[in-house]
Amino acid sequence: MPSGPGSIPTTVPVQMPKPSRVQQALAGMTSVLMSAIGLPVCLSRAPQPASPPASCLASKSHSSVKRLRKMSMKGGTPKPEPEQVIRKYTEELKTAPDEDCIICMEKLSVASGYSDVTNSMTIGPGAVGRLTKCSHAFHLLCLLAMYCNGNKDGSLQCPSCKTIYGEKTGTQPRGKMEVFSYPVSLPGHEDCGTILIVYNIPPGVQGPEHPNPGKPFTARGFPRQCYLPDNAQGRKVLELLKVAWKRRLIFTVGTSSTTGETDTVVWNEIHHKTEMDRNVTGHGYPDPNYLQNVLAELAAQGVTEDCLGQQ
């Protein structure tokens, strides 16, 4: 774009041939960026709104946009047998401690409360074990029942202290994560630019890991746009969000807390900022505690800086 005096046109046409849903949702940021430097903007094609107008979005083709990465869901790997997972992360005790199992609420010195509904060829009803890192003790059969009632992804989470053993994965449907950067600041982070994350998940059919396998699920409000400051801590959060995306932890299929709709794609306990230039709903900036809070939420899902060295 010319920078000399007198070379600025009265309007800047933005061509959007055959826009995709993401291009439609992103087109608004072009006008924001140009308006920020005093340029009026004329759109040659009116985009169909795919998200609330409060979000400040951009066209992928704009020269100020640098696409950092595009990530799609990858196929899964074979899952270990449930008994193997329990044995891997526990040490069986010869003598049961004089305390309750917080899973079945029975004394550890008596049989597991799940012995009548959980069958195992290798774990007896009275077997007691201690988790190797946090040292909390449970009936092994209770741990097996808890594991089999979850995602069965090869990881185990202590029901007492929430310590995660192994690599926790979620039930996020297939989709796409894209990342962009802009030379526009967020409120409260005026010393740096902005990272834009675009998540796109299409509607589909629920798999065996979802609440109602074989039933269709909806995906409302996609593409969804989220914002981070483009500074050292914001970039660290971005890298951890990429790990969480790969592990299928950012979204899940469930019931919407806002509409009550069932069998739909919903956020999964990792909060995102979906407003760029205001904080009317609490999902925007300024928020001086957000980056620390989201790091804690990621850690609760087993996504920490230690994961970055494993990528």
Side-chain angles (χ1 to χ4, degrees):
M1 181 180 295
S3 57
S7 62
I8 299 176
T10 55
T11 62
V12 180
V14 179
Q15 297 294 331
M16 296 185 296
K18 298 180 180 179
S20 66
R21 289 192 65 198
V22 176
Q23 289 171 322
Q24 293 168 1
L26 299 178
M29 178 63 97
T30 303
S31 59
V32 174
L33 294 173
M34 292 181 176
S35 298
I37 59 174
L39 291 178
V41 177
C42 175
L43 294 178
S44 60
R45 184 193 298 267
Q48 296 297 317
S51 61
S55 299
C56 298
L57 310 174
S59 169
K60 291 183 191 176
S61 60
H62 193 276
S63 61
S64 67
V65 176
K66 177 183 178 184
R67 181 157 65 184
L68 302 180
R69 193 170 183 179
K70 180 165 68 176
M71 303 167 62
S72 298
M73 298 300 305
K74 295 182 179 180
T77 55
K79 297 179 180 180
E81 291 297 322
E83 286 89 348
Q84 294 176 337
V85 175
I86 303 306
R87 295 292 188 186
K88 180 178 180 179
Y89 299 123
T90 60
E91 175 188 3
E92 187 167 356
L93 301 177
K94 295 181 179 179
T95 304
D98 185 20
E99 56 189 70
D100 293 341
C101 172
I102 70 166
I103 299 176
C104 70
M105 304 309 295
E106 298 284 354
K107 285 286 186 182
L108 289 172
S109 56
V110 303
S112 164
Y114 285 93
S115 58
D116 58 337
V117 293
T118 304
N119 297 318
S120 173
M121 298 296 293
T122 62
I123 298 176
V128 173
R130 192 182 301 279
L131 289 168
T132 54
K133 286 195 290 187
C134 64
S135 297
H136 288 115
F138 309 93
H139 291 115
L140 294 181
L141 212 55
C142 288
L143 285 174
L144 180 64
M146 182 186 74
Y147 177 82
C148 290
N149 194 47
N151 195 30
K152 297 191 287 290
D153 60 357
S155 73
L156 194 65
Q157 187 165 20
C158 175
S160 179
C161 67
K162 308 306 180 185
T163 297
I164 295 174
Y165 295 78
E167 183 178 297
K168 181 179 180 180
T169 61
T171 60
Q172 176 179 289
R174 289 182 176 273
K176 184 167 60 177
M177 174 185 184
E178 294 179 282
V179 181
F180 306 83
S181 63
Y182 298 104
V184 176
S185 298
L186 295 166
H189 297 279
E190 286 79 8
D191 58 342
C192 64
T194 296
I195 296 168
L196 168 64
I197 304 171
V198 181
Y199 297 116
N200 200 4
I201 295 178
V205 177
Q206 297 180 56
E209 72 274 29
H210 295 135
N212 296 295
K215 184 177 179 181
F217 66 82
T218 58
R220 310 293 185 190
F222 287 93
R224 297 189 187 184
Q225 301 83 35
C226 309
Y227 306 93
L228 292 169
D230 195 359
N231 55 23
Q233 193 171 37
R235 289 189 290 271
K236 178 170 72 173
V237 170
L238 171 64
E239 293 306 312
L240 294 175
L241 287 175
K242 290 178 181 178
V243 175
W245 174 265
K246 286 183 177 180
R247 296 184 183 180
R248 305 176 67 192
L249 294 169
I250 293 179
F251 296 97
T252 189
V253 174
T255 300
S256 170
S257 60
T258 55
T259 67
E261 182 180 9
T262 59
D263 301 304
T264 191
V265 179
V266 296
W267 294 104
N268 187 38
E269 300 180 7
I270 300 174
H271 286 84
H272 285 63
K273 291 297 187 181
T274 55
E275 291 181 300
M276 181 178 182
D277 58 350
R278 61 178 185 169
N279 197 14
V280 174
T281 64
H283 301 299
Y285 293 90
D287 184 345
N289 299 318
Y290 170 66
L291 294 176
Q292 285 298 327
N293 290 342
V294 75
L295 285 171
E297 291 171 348
L298 285 159
Q301 300 291 328
V303 181
T304 64
E305 287 187 70
D306 292 341
C307 302
L308 300 181
Q310 302 169 8
Q311 298 304 301

